[in-house]
Amino acid sequence: MSSTLSEFQIIKRYFEGVGEIDSQIIDLGIGDDCSVVTLPPNQSLCFSLDTMVEGRHFPKGACPESLAKRVMAAALSDLAAMGAKPSFFTLSLTLPEANLDWLEGFSKGLRFMANAHKLSLVGGDTTRGPLTIGVQVHGLVKKEKALRRSGAKEGDLLIVTGNLGDAGAALKLLNNDAVNDVESYLLERYYHPTPRFEEADLICSVASSCIDVSDGLLADLRHISAASFCGFEVNLEALPISAQLQQFAGEGARSYALNSGDDYELLFTVSRDAWERISDDLGGLKFTVIGRAVPESQDIKIYSGDKEVLIESEGYKHFE
Ligand code: ADP
Ligand code: MG
């Protein structure tokens, strides 16, 4: 259903009251020329912007509720990777038309994520044009405690949360209608990735470096490697792969795990001692040691047993 609602009516109906306003921080939300926040003492603000364009990042006609969840999860995952707690977000929305059904679904997805992760929508911009969704999330972290990509040290363990490769495999399925259990699991992992805040909570005081896997394990590991000036050995057999991906891709599962993006798992390094201290009580969360940091001169190498294997491609790169 298309409508003649004005921009302001749209904002009021679909974007006001998304998430609960934390009045300790938010002085002024939607409705004025700017939003106003006051940061608590000794906290730093982390923020990250994610944009999704129809036809580029998602297929035409994709479910609006899922899109909202996915763009929020992608942006929130960056906060998790820094060890920050979500606080508020802004939304830039470019719409071809004011389709009320679409807006209703999109707003529902936003509300779900805002409530689940305790952040509120405090402002944004709404324009007409090809469907494009931009979300900027803001989170708080104790001053000087943000987890960066730099900081990995030779000998540190390389660890990843959850499973790898599921979302990448789902890309093959985006235009399929009838799907079986395995396929719907993979699609669920693509559309509804889980920002790993619980895992981040456990590791934030011990990790020496951290990144979220958005472009692919190897591509993102390369960012840690460059920022930390160290190389890595990765154990191919250790890569965490879901039973569903194994069933879907067989021999190809490891290639998805190494190279495909969109999983939004956390990849981090930690000293052996620190990991030993905390690894007895991981609260049922999934962490897998997949390798270790080595001198920078050794670059990134993948091993199967004690044999080195060659890698063909590294993740997803825009503009190439
Ligand atoms: P201005 O013209 O001063 O930039 P706008 O008319 O764009 O203001 O927006 C009016 C108010 O609505 C502002 O507070 C703005 O932050 C908010 N807003 C606009 N679009 C959105 C959106 N998509 N989501 C949330 N808030 C929005
Ligand atoms: Mg103004």
Side-chain angles (χ1 to χ4, degrees), residues 67-261:
L67 288 178
K69 289 180 178 174
R70 190 168 128 74
V71 70
M72 289 292 287
L76 284 164
S77 171
D78 287 320
L79 291 183
M82 300 301 283
K85 298 261 178 303
S87 181
F88 55 94
F89 72 107
T90 53
L91 168 69
S92 165
L93 195 56
T94 305
L95 297 168
E97 55 168 351
N99 178 322
L100 299 193
D101 293 335
W102 193 94
L103 280 161
E104 187 67 43
F106 186 75
S107 174
K108 190 171 169 204
L110 280 188
R111 282 176 210 279
F112 177 88
M113 292 302 280
N115 292 332
H117 295 287
K118 299 194 170 42
L119 75 171
S120 57
L121 179 56
V122 298
D125 196 25
T126 308
T127 52
R128 195 176 281 263
L131 182 58
T132 305
I133 304 160
V135 160
Q136 180 154 316
V137 291
H138 305 74
L140 300 179
V141 65
K142 244 199 206 135
K143 214 172 165 62
E144 319 271 328
K145 296 291 182 198
L147 289 177
R148 305 178 184 206
R149 295 171 180 192
S150 53
K153 306 228 168 16
E154 198 182 320
D156 281 358
L157 298 173
L158 179 67
I159 301 178
V160 71
T161 63
N163 290 320
L164 293 170
D166 291 335
L171 289 178
K172 289 233 158 83
L173 306 167
L174 292 185
N175 297 316
N176 293 13
D177 276 342
V179 289
N180 59 34
D181 285 356
V182 164
E183 293 174 347
S184 50
Y185 165 85
L186 297 173
L187 283 167
E188 178 69 16
R189 288 272 291 155
Y190 173 83
Y191 276 116
H192 304 145
T194 309
R196 297 301 190 188
F197 286 110
E198 287 177 70
E199 289 79 353
D201 228 21
L202 263 174
I203 62 154
C204 64
S205 58
V206 293
S208 50
S209 70
C210 186
I211 193 169
D212 66 321
V213 181
S214 53
D215 293 334
L217 177 74
L218 287 179
D220 289 313
L221 180 57
R222 200 156 277 294
H223 294 308
I224 293 187
S225 167
S228 298
F229 304 104
C230 58
F232 284 95
E233 285 177 5
V234 177
N235 175 1
L236 193 64
E237 276 87 25
L239 297 179
I241 288 169
S242 68
Q244 289 88 343
L245 178 61
Q246 194 64 55
Q247 202 176 325
F248 177 79
E251 292 279 292
R254 284 184 184 144
S255 173
Y256 280 114
L258 282 173
N259 296 310
S260 69

